[in-house]
Amino acid sequence: MKNDERVSADVKIAKSIGYTIFWFGIFAVLLYRWFILNQTLMDTLDFFLVWFIASLAQFFALAIKGIPMTYPVPMSKKDQRYFVYLVPLLTGILSAIIVFLRIGMDIRGILGGFTVSSFGTLFLFFLYKLILQLWEKRNM
């Protein structure tokens, strides 16, 4: 069989679908084990590390290739700015709600969950933007 471009494109699509199912599947398993089975992070560390490393690999691969964070949705600079600040805020709020549901009304825990997840997400977004700027400087 010849190595045709159409075959290569179909193989890439199939691998992409498989990776997406794998990535979301592991995330679903983590959520199930954390919230239904009430297991801790240490109990699910093996699944979490595989999911986390796959997420970071995808994150940095896209940044190194110069693909915008909001791809495939085209956004203006103003919309991207809202995205970069609202997503970490919403992530922090979601984390605070999860901490509240898990440990109750411990204000330090709730604020800690909010702060760590918000600033962690914001840091990753700024790191992505920095990598994109370096890519643009190198390739343009």
Side-chain angles (χ1 to χ4, degrees), residues 68-112:
M69 190 181 327
T70 58
Y71 179 82
V73 178
M75 289 188 171
S76 67
K77 291 284 187 187
K78 183 179 177 183
D79 292 341
Q80 285 180 359
R81 194 172 299 123
Y82 288 140
F83 177 82
V84 166
Y85 291 113
L86 286 178
V87 169
L89 181 66
L90 293 175
T91 302
I93 291 170
L94 181 63
S95 295
I97 291 170
I98 290 170
V99 168
F100 174 74
L101 293 175
R102 297 287 279 176
I103 65 171
M105 191 58 181
D106 180 20
I107 195 70
R108 289 176 52 186
I110 292 171
L111 288 177

Side-chain angles (χ1 to χ4, degrees), residues 11-48:
V11 168
K12 285 182 183 180
I13 290 171
K15 285 183 179 182
S16 175
I17 292 170
Y19 171 77
T20 302
I21 292 170
F22 173 74
W23 188 72
F24 280 113
I26 287 182
F27 187 63
V29 167
L30 282 172
L31 291 178
Y32 175 76
R33 290 176 71 179
W34 286 337
F35 295 107
I36 305 300
L37 300 179
N38 289 325
Q39 293 180 342
T40 63
L41 177 63
M42 294 310 292
D43 294 336
T44 62
L45 192 60
D46 53 348
F47 281 106
F48 179 75

